[in-house]
Amino acid sequence: MYTQALNTRDQAAPSADSEQDARFQARVDAELKIEPNDWMPEAYRRTLTRQISQHAHSEIVGMLPEGNWITRAPTLKRKAALLAKVQDEGGHGLYLYSAAETLGTSREEMVDQLLSGKAKYSSIFNYPTLTWADIGIIGWLVDGAAIMNQIPLCRCSYGPYARAMIRICKEESFHQRQGYEIMLALCRGTPEQKQMAQEALNRWWWPVLMMFGPSDKDSQHTDTTTRWKIKRFTNDELRQKFVDATVPQGHYLGLTFPDPALRLNEKTGHWDYGEIDWSEFKRVIAGDGPCNRQRMKQRRAAHENGAWVREAALAYAEKRKARERAAYAEAAE
Ligand code: FAQ
Protein backbone atom coordinates (compact mmCIF):
# COMPACT_ATOMS: atom_id res chain seq x y z
CA MET A 1 0.00 0.00 0.00
CA TYR A 2 1.21 3.52 -0.77
CA THR A 3 -1.12 5.20 1.76
CA GLN A 4 -1.57 4.50 5.45
CA ALA A 5 -3.74 1.42 5.84
CA LEU A 6 -6.85 3.04 7.24
CA ASN A 7 -9.37 0.36 6.72
CA THR A 8 -9.90 -3.25 5.92
CA ARG A 9 -12.86 -4.69 4.08
CA ASP A 10 -15.98 -5.42 6.11
CA GLN A 11 -16.13 -9.09 6.90
CA ALA A 12 -19.89 -9.41 6.85
CA ALA A 13 -22.17 -7.09 4.92
CA PRO A 14 -25.22 -6.25 7.03
CA SER A 15 -28.71 -6.76 5.65
CA ALA A 16 -30.23 -3.97 3.60
CA ASP A 17 -32.63 -2.92 6.34
CA SER A 18 -30.17 -2.91 9.22
CA GLU A 19 -29.98 -0.01 11.61
CA GLN A 20 -26.42 0.67 10.47
CA ASP A 21 -27.61 1.04 6.89
CA ALA A 22 -30.32 3.47 7.99
CA ARG A 23 -27.86 5.55 10.02
CA PHE A 24 -25.47 5.59 7.07
CA GLN A 25 -28.19 6.75 4.65
CA ALA A 26 -29.28 9.44 7.13
CA ARG A 27 -25.71 10.81 7.21
CA VAL A 28 -25.59 10.84 3.43
CA ASP A 29 -29.00 12.54 3.24
CA ALA A 30 -27.80 15.19 5.72
CA GLU A 31 -24.88 15.92 3.34
CA LEU A 32 -22.29 14.77 5.90
CA LYS A 33 -19.13 13.34 4.39
CA ILE A 34 -18.32 9.66 4.81
CA GLU A 35 -14.68 9.24 5.83
CA PRO A 36 -12.42 6.16 5.48
CA ASN A 37 -12.83 4.90 9.05
CA ASP A 38 -16.63 5.40 9.13
CA TRP A 39 -18.86 2.37 8.78
CA MET A 40 -20.19 2.01 5.24
CA PRO A 41 -22.22 -0.67 3.43
CA GLU A 42 -20.00 -3.12 1.58
CA ALA A 43 -21.76 -2.27 -1.70
CA TYR A 44 -20.95 1.45 -1.20
CA ARG A 45 -17.28 0.57 -0.67
CA ARG A 46 -17.30 -1.71 -3.72
CA THR A 47 -18.96 0.72 -6.12
CA LEU A 48 -16.76 3.61 -5.00
CA THR A 49 -13.61 1.51 -5.42
CA ARG A 50 -14.87 0.55 -8.88
CA GLN A 51 -15.64 4.12 -9.94
CA ILE A 52 -12.57 5.81 -8.42
CA SER A 53 -10.15 3.16 -9.74
CA GLN A 54 -11.69 3.32 -13.23
CA HIS A 55 -11.36 7.08 -13.03
CA ALA A 56 -7.67 6.76 -12.00
CA HIS A 57 -6.99 4.30 -14.83
CA SER A 58 -8.63 6.74 -17.28
CA GLU A 59 -6.28 9.52 -16.23
CA ILE A 60 -3.24 7.27 -16.62
CA VAL A 61 -4.25 5.74 -19.97
CA GLY A 62 -5.47 9.23 -20.97
CA MET A 63 -1.84 10.43 -20.96
CA LEU A 64 -1.09 8.27 -24.01
CA PRO A 65 -3.09 9.89 -26.85
CA GLU A 66 -1.65 13.34 -26.02
CA GLY A 67 1.81 12.05 -25.10
CA ASN A 68 1.94 10.99 -28.72
CA TRP A 69 2.16 14.68 -29.73
CA ILE A 70 4.65 16.09 -27.19
CA THR A 71 7.60 15.69 -29.54
CA ARG A 72 5.60 17.11 -32.45
CA ALA A 73 3.96 20.14 -30.80
CA PRO A 74 4.17 23.04 -33.29
CA THR A 75 5.84 25.61 -30.98
CA LEU A 76 7.81 25.71 -27.73
CA LYS A 77 4.83 27.34 -25.98
CA ARG A 78 2.48 24.57 -27.12
CA LYS A 79 5.00 21.90 -26.09
CA ALA A 80 5.38 23.40 -22.59
CA ALA A 81 1.60 23.58 -22.10
CA LEU A 82 1.06 20.04 -23.37
CA LEU A 83 3.84 18.64 -21.17
CA ALA A 84 2.29 20.33 -18.12
CA LYS A 85 -1.16 19.00 -19.02
CA VAL A 86 0.01 15.41 -19.46
CA GLN A 87 1.90 15.62 -16.15
CA ASP A 88 -1.26 16.89 -14.46
CA GLU A 89 -3.11 13.83 -15.74
CA GLY A 90 -0.48 11.56 -14.19
CA GLY A 91 -0.94 13.49 -10.93
CA HIS A 92 -4.73 13.08 -11.10
CA GLY A 93 -4.27 9.34 -11.48
CA LEU A 94 -2.09 9.29 -8.36
CA TYR A 95 -4.51 11.30 -6.17
CA LEU A 96 -7.31 9.04 -7.32
CA TYR A 97 -5.42 5.80 -6.60
CA SER A 98 -4.70 7.21 -3.13
CA ALA A 99 -8.38 8.06 -2.61
CA ALA A 100 -9.36 4.54 -3.71
CA GLU A 101 -6.75 2.97 -1.40
CA THR A 102 -8.49 4.50 1.62
CA LEU A 103 -11.32 2.06 0.83
CA GLY A 104 -9.03 -0.91 1.40
CA THR A 105 -7.74 -1.96 -2.04
CA SER A 106 -4.06 -1.46 -2.74
CA ARG A 107 -2.76 0.47 -5.72
CA GLU A 108 -0.86 -2.63 -6.87
CA GLU A 109 -4.13 -4.58 -6.98
CA MET A 110 -5.86 -1.83 -8.96
CA VAL A 111 -2.99 -1.54 -11.42
CA ASP A 112 -2.99 -5.33 -11.86
CA GLN A 113 -6.70 -5.18 -12.66
CA LEU A 114 -6.01 -2.59 -15.35
CA LEU A 115 -3.06 -4.43 -16.87
CA SER A 116 -4.82 -7.79 -16.89
CA GLY A 117 -7.75 -6.21 -18.74
CA LYS A 118 -10.24 -6.75 -15.87
CA ALA A 119 -10.75 -3.08 -15.06
CA LYS A 120 -12.32 -0.52 -17.35
CA TYR A 121 -11.03 2.92 -18.29
CA SER A 122 -12.82 5.60 -20.27
CA SER A 123 -13.80 4.57 -23.79
CA ILE A 124 -12.58 7.90 -25.18
CA PHE A 125 -8.90 7.03 -24.80
CA ASN A 126 -9.19 4.24 -27.35
CA TYR A 127 -9.36 6.69 -30.27
CA PRO A 128 -6.26 7.83 -32.18
CA THR A 129 -4.80 11.35 -32.26
CA LEU A 130 -4.10 11.71 -35.97
CA THR A 131 -3.35 15.43 -36.26
CA TRP A 132 -2.43 18.38 -34.02
CA ALA A 133 -6.09 19.44 -34.08
CA ASP A 134 -6.90 16.31 -32.08
CA ILE A 135 -4.89 17.79 -29.22
CA GLY A 136 -7.08 20.91 -29.38
CA ILE A 137 -10.19 18.71 -29.46
CA ILE A 138 -9.07 16.63 -26.47
CA GLY A 139 -8.63 19.78 -24.38
CA TRP A 140 -11.83 21.46 -25.57
CA LEU A 141 -14.16 18.45 -25.66
CA VAL A 142 -12.65 15.59 -23.63
CA ASP A 143 -11.60 17.84 -20.75
CA GLY A 144 -14.83 19.80 -21.21
CA ALA A 145 -16.84 16.59 -20.79
CA ALA A 146 -14.63 15.52 -17.88
CA ILE A 147 -15.31 18.84 -16.08
CA MET A 148 -19.06 18.57 -16.64
CA ASN A 149 -19.01 15.11 -15.07
CA GLN A 150 -16.49 15.92 -12.33
CA ILE A 151 -17.71 19.24 -10.88
CA PRO A 152 -20.66 17.44 -9.24
CA LEU A 153 -18.20 14.82 -7.91
CA CYS A 154 -16.65 17.58 -5.76
CA ARG A 155 -19.85 17.15 -3.69
CA CYS A 156 -19.60 13.35 -3.62
CA SER A 157 -20.53 11.83 -0.25
CA TYR A 158 -17.11 10.15 0.13
CA GLY A 159 -14.69 12.73 1.59
CA PRO A 160 -11.37 11.62 0.02
CA TYR A 161 -12.90 11.43 -3.49
CA ALA A 162 -14.68 14.77 -3.15
CA ARG A 163 -11.53 16.52 -1.95
CA ALA A 164 -9.37 15.01 -4.72
CA MET A 165 -11.92 16.22 -7.28
CA ILE A 166 -11.65 19.87 -6.18
CA ARG A 167 -8.00 20.11 -7.19
CA ILE A 168 -8.51 17.97 -10.29
CA CYS A 169 -11.32 20.21 -11.54
CA LYS A 170 -9.18 23.34 -11.17
CA GLU A 171 -6.51 21.74 -13.33
CA GLU A 172 -9.04 20.40 -15.85
CA SER A 173 -10.28 23.93 -16.31
CA PHE A 174 -6.82 25.03 -17.52
CA HIS A 175 -6.73 21.96 -19.78
CA GLN A 176 -10.05 22.85 -21.35
CA ARG A 177 -8.97 26.43 -22.03
CA GLN A 178 -5.67 25.43 -23.62
CA GLY A 179 -7.60 23.06 -25.92
CA TYR A 180 -10.11 25.71 -26.93
CA GLU A 181 -7.28 28.16 -27.57
CA ILE A 182 -5.63 25.65 -29.93
CA MET A 183 -8.98 25.30 -31.74
CA LEU A 184 -9.34 29.10 -31.99
CA ALA A 185 -5.85 29.43 -33.48
CA LEU A 186 -6.58 26.70 -36.04
CA CYS A 187 -10.01 28.09 -36.94
CA ARG A 188 -8.57 31.59 -37.43
CA GLY A 189 -5.63 30.19 -39.43
CA THR A 190 -5.31 28.97 -43.00
CA PRO A 191 -8.18 27.11 -44.76
CA GLU A 192 -6.13 23.90 -44.30
CA GLN A 193 -5.88 24.48 -40.55
CA LYS A 194 -9.61 25.15 -40.29
CA GLN A 195 -10.26 21.98 -42.28
CA MET A 196 -8.03 20.03 -39.88
CA ALA A 197 -10.06 21.40 -36.94
CA GLN A 198 -13.35 20.43 -38.64
CA GLU A 199 -12.14 16.91 -39.37
CA ALA A 200 -11.03 16.45 -35.76
CA LEU A 201 -14.48 17.57 -34.56
CA ASN A 202 -16.11 15.13 -36.99
CA ARG A 203 -14.07 12.24 -35.62
CA TRP A 204 -14.36 13.04 -31.88
CA TRP A 205 -17.88 14.41 -31.39
CA TRP A 206 -19.75 11.12 -31.04
CA PRO A 207 -17.09 9.32 -28.97
CA VAL A 208 -17.07 12.31 -26.58
CA LEU A 209 -20.84 12.03 -26.10
CA MET A 210 -20.27 8.35 -25.19
CA MET A 211 -17.90 9.36 -22.38
CA PHE A 212 -20.94 10.13 -20.19
CA GLY A 213 -21.83 6.43 -20.15
CA PRO A 214 -24.88 4.48 -21.33
CA SER A 215 -28.29 6.12 -21.55
CA ASP A 216 -30.16 6.29 -18.24
CA LYS A 217 -32.37 3.36 -19.16
CA ASP A 218 -29.28 1.15 -19.60
CA SER A 219 -27.15 2.51 -16.74
CA GLN A 220 -26.61 -0.19 -14.10
CA HIS A 221 -25.28 1.89 -11.24
CA THR A 222 -26.97 5.31 -11.44
CA ASP A 223 -29.92 4.52 -9.14
CA THR A 224 -27.79 3.37 -6.24
CA THR A 225 -25.00 5.86 -6.71
CA THR A 226 -27.40 8.82 -6.80
CA ARG A 227 -29.13 7.52 -3.64
CA TRP A 228 -25.70 7.46 -1.99
CA LYS A 229 -24.90 10.91 -3.42
CA ILE A 230 -21.82 9.66 -5.24
CA LYS A 231 -23.40 10.79 -8.52
CA ARG A 232 -25.52 13.94 -8.41
CA PHE A 233 -26.80 13.81 -11.99
CA THR A 234 -27.62 10.96 -14.35
CA ASN A 235 -25.55 10.18 -17.45
CA ASP A 236 -28.17 11.69 -19.80
CA GLU A 237 -28.56 14.84 -17.69
CA LEU A 238 -24.82 15.51 -17.82
CA ARG A 239 -24.63 14.68 -21.53
CA GLN A 240 -27.38 17.24 -22.22
CA LYS A 241 -25.66 19.90 -20.10
CA PHE A 242 -22.47 19.28 -22.06
CA VAL A 243 -24.19 19.53 -25.46
CA ASP A 244 -25.92 22.77 -24.39
CA ALA A 245 -22.64 24.32 -23.24
CA THR A 246 -20.52 23.11 -26.16
CA VAL A 247 -22.60 23.70 -29.28
CA PRO A 248 -22.43 27.53 -29.03
CA GLN A 249 -18.65 27.25 -28.48
CA GLY A 250 -18.34 25.20 -31.68
CA HIS A 251 -20.46 27.71 -33.61
CA TYR A 252 -18.25 30.54 -32.34
CA LEU A 253 -15.30 28.66 -33.87
CA GLY A 254 -17.24 28.52 -37.17
CA LEU A 255 -17.39 24.71 -37.07
CA THR A 256 -20.30 22.40 -37.84
CA PHE A 257 -21.22 19.39 -35.73
CA PRO A 258 -21.47 16.03 -37.50
CA ASP A 259 -25.09 15.55 -36.44
CA PRO A 260 -27.92 16.50 -38.83
CA ALA A 261 -30.45 16.15 -35.98
CA LEU A 262 -28.72 18.80 -33.83
CA ARG A 263 -31.10 21.73 -33.32
CA LEU A 264 -32.14 24.15 -30.61
CA ASN A 265 -35.48 23.09 -29.20
CA GLU A 266 -37.38 26.35 -28.65
CA LYS A 267 -39.75 24.71 -26.18
CA THR A 268 -37.16 23.17 -23.86
CA GLY A 269 -34.31 25.61 -24.50
CA HIS A 270 -31.98 22.60 -24.94
CA TRP A 271 -30.10 21.37 -28.00
CA ASP A 272 -31.70 18.17 -29.31
CA TYR A 273 -29.18 15.71 -30.73
CA GLY A 274 -29.29 12.52 -32.80
CA GLU A 275 -29.11 8.87 -31.76
CA ILE A 276 -25.77 7.70 -30.32
CA ASP A 277 -24.37 4.50 -31.86
CA TRP A 278 -24.37 2.39 -28.70
CA SER A 279 -23.03 -0.62 -30.59
CA GLU A 280 -19.78 1.30 -31.10
CA PHE A 281 -19.67 2.18 -27.38
CA LYS A 282 -20.17 -1.48 -26.40
CA ARG A 283 -17.48 -2.60 -28.83
CA VAL A 284 -14.97 -0.09 -27.46
CA ILE A 285 -15.55 -0.92 -23.79
CA ALA A 286 -15.37 -4.63 -24.63
CA GLY A 287 -11.78 -4.04 -25.83
CA ASP A 288 -12.34 -3.73 -29.58
CA GLY A 289 -11.95 0.01 -30.19
CA PRO A 290 -9.44 1.47 -32.68
CA CYS A 291 -6.58 1.67 -30.13
CA ASN A 292 -7.45 -0.59 -27.15
CA ARG A 293 -4.70 -3.11 -27.86
CA GLN A 294 -2.08 -0.44 -28.49
CA ARG A 295 -2.97 1.44 -25.29
CA MET A 296 -2.73 -1.66 -23.10
CA LYS A 297 0.51 -2.73 -24.75
CA GLN A 298 2.01 0.70 -24.03
CA ARG A 299 0.76 0.70 -20.42
CA ARG A 300 2.20 -2.78 -19.77
CA ALA A 301 5.56 -1.77 -21.27
CA ALA A 302 5.62 1.44 -19.17
CA HIS A 303 4.83 -0.57 -16.03
CA GLU A 304 7.58 -3.12 -16.73
CA ASN A 305 10.12 -0.43 -17.62
CA GLY A 306 9.29 1.43 -14.41
CA ALA A 307 9.84 -1.59 -12.14
CA TRP A 308 13.36 -0.46 -11.19
CA VAL A 309 12.04 2.98 -10.14
CA ARG A 310 9.48 1.39 -7.80
CA GLU A 311 12.13 -0.94 -6.36
CA ALA A 312 14.59 1.92 -5.87
CA ALA A 313 11.92 4.09 -4.18
CA LEU A 314 10.99 1.27 -1.79
CA ALA A 315 14.65 0.54 -0.99
CA TYR A 316 15.23 4.24 -0.29
CA ALA A 317 12.15 4.43 1.97
CA GLU A 318 13.37 1.36 3.91
CA LYS A 319 16.83 2.92 4.32
CA ARG A 320 15.32 6.18 5.59
CA LYS A 321 13.08 4.35 8.04
CA ALA A 322 16.05 2.34 9.37
CA ARG A 323 18.06 5.56 9.75
CA GLU A 324 15.18 7.23 11.64
CA ARG A 325 14.77 4.19 13.89
CA ALA A 326 18.48 4.22 14.69
CA ALA A 327 18.37 7.97 15.47
CA TYR A 328 15.38 7.48 17.85
CA ALA A 329 17.14 4.58 19.57
CA GLU A 330 20.27 6.68 20.01
CA ALA A 331 18.28 9.63 21.41
CA ALA A 332 16.44 7.33 23.85
CA GLU A 333 19.70 5.94 25.29
N1 FAQ B 1 -16.02 4.19 -20.80
O1 FAQ B 1 -24.00 2.09 -14.82
P1 FAQ B 1 -23.12 3.01 -15.58
C1 FAQ B 1 -10.84 12.35 -18.10
C2 FAQ B 1 -19.15 1.47 -17.81
S1 FAQ B 1 -11.38 11.25 -16.94
C3 FAQ B 1 -15.82 2.97 -20.27
O2 FAQ B 1 -23.71 4.25 -16.12
P2 FAQ B 1 -21.52 4.52 -13.69
C4 FAQ B 1 -9.69 13.26 -17.75
C5 FAQ B 1 -19.30 1.63 -16.31
O3 FAQ B 1 -18.03 1.70 -15.70
C6 FAQ B 1 -12.63 10.30 -17.77
N2 FAQ B 1 -16.74 2.37 -19.46
O4 FAQ B 1 -21.81 3.31 -14.70
C7 FAQ B 1 -8.79 13.39 -18.90
C8 FAQ B 1 -20.07 0.39 -15.98
O5 FAQ B 1 -19.20 -0.74 -16.03
P3 FAQ B 1 -18.87 -1.65 -14.72
C9 FAQ B 1 -13.19 9.30 -16.86
C10 FAQ B 1 -17.86 3.07 -19.20
O6 FAQ B 1 -20.23 4.22 -13.02
C11 FAQ B 1 -9.09 14.27 -19.92
C12 FAQ B 1 -21.00 0.24 -17.17
O7 FAQ B 1 -20.38 0.95 -18.23
N3 FAQ B 1 -14.08 9.94 -15.90
O8 FAQ B 1 -11.39 12.34 -19.14
C13 FAQ B 1 -18.09 4.36 -19.70
O9 FAQ B 1 -22.69 4.79 -12.83
C14 FAQ B 1 -8.24 14.39 -21.01
C15 FAQ B 1 -22.39 0.77 -16.88
O10 FAQ B 1 -22.42 2.21 -16.78
C16 FAQ B 1 -14.54 9.27 -14.84
O11 FAQ B 1 -14.20 8.13 -14.62
C17 FAQ B 1 -17.12 4.92 -20.55
N4 FAQ B 1 -17.25 6.14 -21.10
O12 FAQ B 1 -21.34 5.79 -14.65
C18 FAQ B 1 -7.62 12.64 -18.96
C19 FAQ B 1 -15.44 10.06 -13.91
N5 FAQ B 1 -19.30 4.79 -19.25
O13 FAQ B 1 -18.03 -0.80 -13.82
C20 FAQ B 1 -6.78 12.75 -20.05
C21 FAQ B 1 -15.99 9.23 -12.78
C22 FAQ B 1 -19.80 3.79 -18.49
O14 FAQ B 1 -20.17 -2.03 -14.09
C23 FAQ B 1 -7.10 13.64 -21.08
N6 FAQ B 1 -16.90 8.21 -13.23
N7 FAQ B 1 -18.95 2.76 -18.47
O15 FAQ B 1 -18.10 -2.82 -15.27
C24 FAQ B 1 -18.22 8.41 -13.46
O16 FAQ B 1 -18.73 9.50 -13.31
C25 FAQ B 1 -19.04 7.22 -13.82
O17 FAQ B 1 -18.32 6.04 -13.50
C26 FAQ B 1 -19.48 7.17 -15.33
C27 FAQ B 1 -20.28 5.87 -15.56
C28 FAQ B 1 -20.37 8.35 -15.66
C29 FAQ B 1 -18.25 7.17 -16.25
Side-chain angles (χ1 to χ4, degrees):
M1 279 243 195
Y2 288 77
T3 57
Q4 303 297 314
L6 289 166
N7 239 326
T8 51
R9 286 163 196 276
D10 293 347
Q11 293 306 310
S15 66
D17 58 356
S18 76
E19 251 179 58
Q20 265 177 322
D21 265 358
R23 271 204 303 274
F24 172 83
Q25 190 61 46
R27 284 196 64 163
V28 168
D29 292 343
E31 299 286 344
L32 294 171
K33 290 281 178 254
I34 306 299
E35 297 296 341
N37 283 327
D38 293 339
W39 183 88
M40 61 187 82
E42 185 57 20
Y44 177 86
R45 185 188 300 279
R46 222 176 19 245
T47 205
L48 261 177
T49 306
R50 175 191 67 78
Q51 178 169 326
I52 304 173
S53 62
Q54 285 177 1
H55 192 167
H57 300 327
S58 303
E59 298 280 357
I60 298 297
V61 178
M63 296 166 80
L64 296 171
E66 289 168 295
N68 179 33
W69 276 89
I70 291 173
T71 54
R72 293 179 286 166
T75 65
L76 187 58
K77 181 184 128 192
R78 296 288 186 208
K79 191 197 281 272
L82 186 58
L83 261 175
K85 178 183 192 297
V86 173
Q87 274 184 357
D88 283 353
E89 281 146 13
H92 297 174
L94 300 189
Y95 316 146
L96 288 165
Y97 283 129
S98 297
E101 280 193 309
T102 65
L103 291 156
T105 303
S106 72
R107 180 161 135 197
E108 288 87 344
E109 233 178 294
M110 291 182 267
V111 170
D112 278 351
Q113 285 166 358
L114 171 70
L115 299 181
S116 66
K118 266 194 238 149
K120 291 191 172 75
Y121 58 89
S122 181
S123 51
I124 195 67
F125 302 118
N126 292 306
Y127 290 85
T129 41
L130 303 179
T131 69
W132 174 251
D134 292 28
I135 301 304
I137 283 282
I138 290 182
W140 172 36
L141 298 183
V142 177
D143 285 279
I147 294 171
M148 196 56 88
N149 164 274
Q150 289 172 191
I151 292 279
L153 290 174
C154 298
R155 292 188 291 126
C156 162
S157 57
Y158 188 58
Y161 193 25
R163 290 189 288 272
M165 291 318 303
I166 293 171
R167 174 150 176 193
I168 291 177
C169 284
K170 284 187 185 155
E171 292 175 351
E172 299 288 24
S173 163
F174 146 68
H175 297 172
Q176 197 269 353
R177 280 166 203 204
Q178 70 83 41
Y180 194 69
E181 213 260 321
I182 292 175
M183 295 304 289
L184 260 178
L186 291 174
C187 292
R188 288 175 179 168
T190 63
E192 289 79 8
Q193 286 173 318
K194 176 113 190 250
Q195 179 64 21
M196 199 198 283
Q198 181 63 58
E199 284 169 8
L201 177 59
N202 295 349
R203 279 183 281 112
W204 287 83
W205 177 245
W206 290 106
V208 165
L209 294 189
M210 294 173 199
M211 273 180 80
F212 292 91
S215 69
D216 291 352
K217 67 177 171 29
D218 294 322
S219 169
Q220 299 154 31
H221 304 292
T222 299
D223 288 349
T224 32
T225 51
T226 41
R227 181 160 55 82
W228 283 332
K229 298 191 193 293
I230 296 171
K231 268 179 162 177
R232 298 277 173 162
F233 296 97
T234 70
N235 300 352
D236 286 336
E237 283 167 351
L238 288 174
R239 196 170 2 250
Q240 185 66 60
K241 277 173 183 280
F242 172 77
V243 171
D244 291 346
T246 307
V247 170
Q249 294 168 358
H251 290 162
Y252 182 77
L253 293 170
L255 297 175
T256 34
F257 288 84
D259 177 2
L262 188 71
R263 63 180 56 85
L264 187 63
N265 183 325
E266 301 290 345
K267 274 198 210 130
T268 62
H270 295 296
W271 285 87
D272 291 339
Y273 55 92
E275 189 56 32
I276 292 173
D277 179 358
W278 292 115
S279 64
E280 174 178 327
F281 174 71
K282 285 184 190 146
R283 231 180 13 256
V284 174
I285 66 171
D288 199 19
C291 298
N292 297 58
R293 288 170 193 81
Q294 183 190 335
R295 300 285 185 248
M296 290 315 297
K297 197 171 153 202
Q298 280 179 302
R299 269 316 310 152
R300 281 190 203 105
H303 191 70
E304 281 161 23
N305 293 337
W308 70 271
V309 180
R310 292 190 296 279
E311 280 160 24
L314 280 174
Y316 177 66
E318 277 305 319
K319 214 162 138 184
R320 252 179 75 166
K321 238 191 276 165
R323 227 182 278 140
E324 276 169 16
R325 268 197 303 264
Y328 279 131
E330 212 179 282
E333 271 171 16

